Amino acid sequence: MRSLNLPALHGLAPEMRPLVDPAALRPRVVHFGIGAFHRAHQAVYTENAAARSGEPWGIAAVAPRSTETVDALRAQDCLYSVTERHPEGSAPRVIGSITGAYAMGRDASAVDALLADPETTVVTLTITEKGYHRSSRTGGLDTAVPALETTVIGRLATALAARMRSGAAPISVVSCDNMADNGAVLGRVVRDVVRASGWRDRERVLELMARHVAFPDTVVDRIVPATTADDVAATATALGVDDALPVSGEPYRQWVMEDRFAAPRPPWELDGALLVPDVAPYQLTKLRLLNGSHSALAFLGLAAGRTTIADTMARDWGERLVKALCAEVAPTLPAGGPDPERYADDLVTRFGNTAMRHLLRQIASDGSLKITERWLPALRSLRERGAATPVLELALAGWAHTTRPDAQDHGVTDPAQDALAACWRTGAAPADTVRALLTTVGAPDLADDAALTAAVARHLPALRAGHVDI
């Protein structure tokens, strides 16, 4: 079977072709992190915005580390397909919004040229929480990170400084990662890189960045499971050509952005994106309800021997867990966002989509970073008010269970894996182990809450036996 590329487009059914002519686009957006989520989310929004506006918005996609995706994209003229998965059936569509693919290290000069080009007015990022190299103590840049200049944050700060010195056009830098205040976080760590540099003009650079670089907050949402060999085979059958990089996603997608840009941007609102004065209500609802319950399902589902989110939702406790967690956390959400009860109902439908095969081990990985954003702030708020937190306690027990030294059997990975596993090797009482785990993830205040650690520890024997009681 022939491979997907520009000539192959003519043989595809019209509904499977890109909505734009890829050759007519220009690289006006630079994106760091060309994983499945970006290709199923921002790249789709950008293609649809370009098609509906007639403006030539294209994306120069940069891989921070791996060259495999870059080489595979180049071999396909930067084309790939997205399959929208419905229980009643699915069909792929080829996306053509990526105009070029680059490896950050190997193609350094080309990436620097793109970031310096006045035609580039937007930079977007999907590099996951750990890519921001934040200190758990200060919330700013972890200056102890080795070879900071080889990280996305270091490279971006250097490029923005060069752009400011050259007097180039203003630019917006848009985090699309799942963090509270993601734009503010990104802006802080980038500025911290500048402050930590030895540049004589760093104060001038910071002053120019304050005037000409925007870091709007955003909320992104679409469930995008990891692509399997079966997905690759099914996509080839549907398209009639081989696609080495297919991705799939649920029908639902959302992009909420703070309406604070420093330069022209794709008209993403033409494809349903929301431009709002303050994304905090949407951000916290998504982080605490969707991401929070997603993580809870993943950790507890693994303990119960499940493999996917849909499989976990099919258990007699799956829907109860989602609705109970959302109800417990709802009082911590600000006004002005989605209705929590209706949002929870939507989550039950989305998570129960049997056409989605979203692996629990994928969602549970990097748990030490995720729970600090998704659970711990709400937990602190509720306990300060004296509110009961039984569902979050159960969820924490599920996370703790996956940090055991034998948790690698599930395929779950974590940057703090060794430190977390060491908490179990001391032979301490379960509550003390929970305390050590919370301290390791930067939550000594919660670790000192004896009632909390005892409540979490009480769930561990049942989870060890594969039982989830809610």
Side-chain angles (χ1 to χ4, degrees):
M1 188 180 290
R2 59 180 178 161
S3 296
L4 176 63
N5 54 26
L6 286 171
L9 291 180
H10 302 293
L12 299 184
E15 65 273 13
M16 292 182 174
R17 298 174 194 164
L19 298 181
V20 293
D21 175 4
L25 302 182
R26 299 202 304 272
R28 299 172 68 180
V29 177
V30 173
H31 179 81
F32 286 93
I34 51 179
F37 183 80
H38 167 69
R39 286 180 280 131
H41 190 275
Q42 297 94 30
V44 174
Y45 273 100
T46 300
E47 172 165 307
N48 292 347
R52 291 170 183 170
S53 67
E55 299 171 5
W57 289 99
I59 301 168
V62 182
R65 291 173 300 276
S66 172
T67 59
E68 290 182 12
T69 302
V70 171
D71 293 339
L73 270 173
R74 288 179 176 178
Q76 297 186 170
D77 295 327
C78 293
L79 301 172
Y80 66 93
S81 64
V82 175
T83 297
E84 196 167 276
R85 297 207 175 278
H86 299 264
E88 60 274 15
S90 310
R93 175 166 75 87
V94 174
I95 302 299
S97 56
I98 296 180
T99 60
Y102 306 86
M104 191 172 76
R106 187 180 67 189
D107 304 314
S109 17
V111 173
D112 288 344
L114 285 163
L115 291 169
D117 190 339
E119 281 250 309
T120 299
T121 56
V122 178
V123 175
T124 54
L125 298 89
T126 51
I127 56 174
T128 76
E129 296 96 325
K130 62 186 174 184
Y132 291 75
H133 301 292
R134 296 170 73 194
S135 164
S136 59
R137 183 177 57 84
T138 68
L141 179 72
D142 180 357
T143 54
V145 172
L148 188 61
E149 67 279 3
T150 67
T151 68
V152 172
I153 299 303
R155 191 54 165 278
L156 182 58
T158 301
L160 290 174
R163 189 176 175 110
M164 295 302 98
R165 293 180 185 120
S166 72
I171 193 166
S172 302
V173 186
V174 185
S175 169
C176 300
D177 285 299
N178 287 319
M179 298 182 296
D181 305 316
N182 54 7
V185 167
L186 175 58
R188 178 174 177 179
V189 293
V190 167
R191 288 189 290 269
D192 283 352
V193 172
V194 177
R195 292 188 185 99
S197 73
W199 304 329
R200 293 182 179 179
D201 64 344
R202 58 185 177 273
E203 292 302 325
R204 177 61 175 162
V205 168
L206 289 169
E207 177 189 336
L208 290 170
M209 284 176 59
R211 287 161 44 194
H212 300 300
V213 184
F215 296 92
D217 287 334
T218 70
V219 180
V220 295
D221 191 2
R222 189 177 201 181
I223 297 172
V224 181
T227 301
T228 67
D230 288 343
D231 294 331
V232 175
T235 302
T237 299
L239 285 175
V241 296
D242 281 329
D243 177 7
L245 291 169
V247 293
S248 62
E250 64 172 331
Y252 180 94
R253 57 186 170 91
Q254 183 189 57
W255 197 358
V256 185
M257 287 169 273
E258 181 184 8
D259 195 4
R260 187 171 62 85
F261 287 79
R265 57 165 179 79
W268 291 304
E269 63 272 26
L270 296 181
D271 192 37
L274 299 178
L275 279 294
V276 299
D278 181 12
V279 305
Y282 296 89
Q283 195 171 63
L284 285 176
T285 298
K286 197 255 181 174
L287 278 170
R288 295 184 181 179
L289 301 193
L290 184 146
N291 297 132
S293 57
H294 219 203
S295 288
L297 285 167
F299 296 127
L300 294 169
L302 286 171
R306 302 300 101 197
T307 303
T308 69
I309 285 290
D311 185 22
T312 305
M313 286 297 293
R315 304 305 95 187
D316 60 359
W317 51 267
E319 180 174 339
R320 288 205 310 275
L321 175 69
V322 172
K323 290 190 172 182
L325 187 143
C326 290
E328 184 170 293
V329 171
T332 72
L333 300 175
D339 175 73
E341 189 172 347
R342 286 201 296 271
Y343 195 90
D345 289 339
D346 288 343
L347 290 181
V348 168
T349 300
R350 294 171 62 188
F351 292 162
N353 183 345
T354 54
M356 299 290 291
R357 184 172 170 77
H358 207 174
L359 296 175
L360 301 183
R361 68 171 183 266
Q362 176 189 3
I363 302 158
S365 289
D366 299 335
S368 65
L369 299 174
K370 291 174 179 175
I371 69 166
T372 60
E373 293 282 344
R374 300 176 181 191
W375 295 348
L376 302 191
L379 185 62
R380 289 187 179 98
S381 176
L382 291 167
R383 295 189 76 81
E384 285 168 4
R385 304 176 195 185
T389 56
V391 189
L392 286 171
E393 290 160 12
L394 173 62
L396 269 174
W399 165 73
H401 179 73
T402 63
T403 64
R404 293 172 297 108
D406 60 347
Q408 290 81 356
D409 295 344
H410 295 307
V412 174
T413 60
D414 194 289
Q417 189 167 291
D418 293 342
L420 294 168
C423 296
W424 291 90
R425 296 191 178 104
T426 63
D432 290 330
T433 299
V434 172
R435 179 175 182 173
L437 291 169
L438 288 169
T439 301
T440 300
V441 298
D445 55 326
L446 294 173
D448 288 339
D449 185 336
L452 172 65
T453 56
V456 172
R458 280 195 292 271
H459 288 290
L460 293 174
L463 294 178
R464 189 107 191 179
H467 299 304
V468 176
D469 298 315
I470 180 169

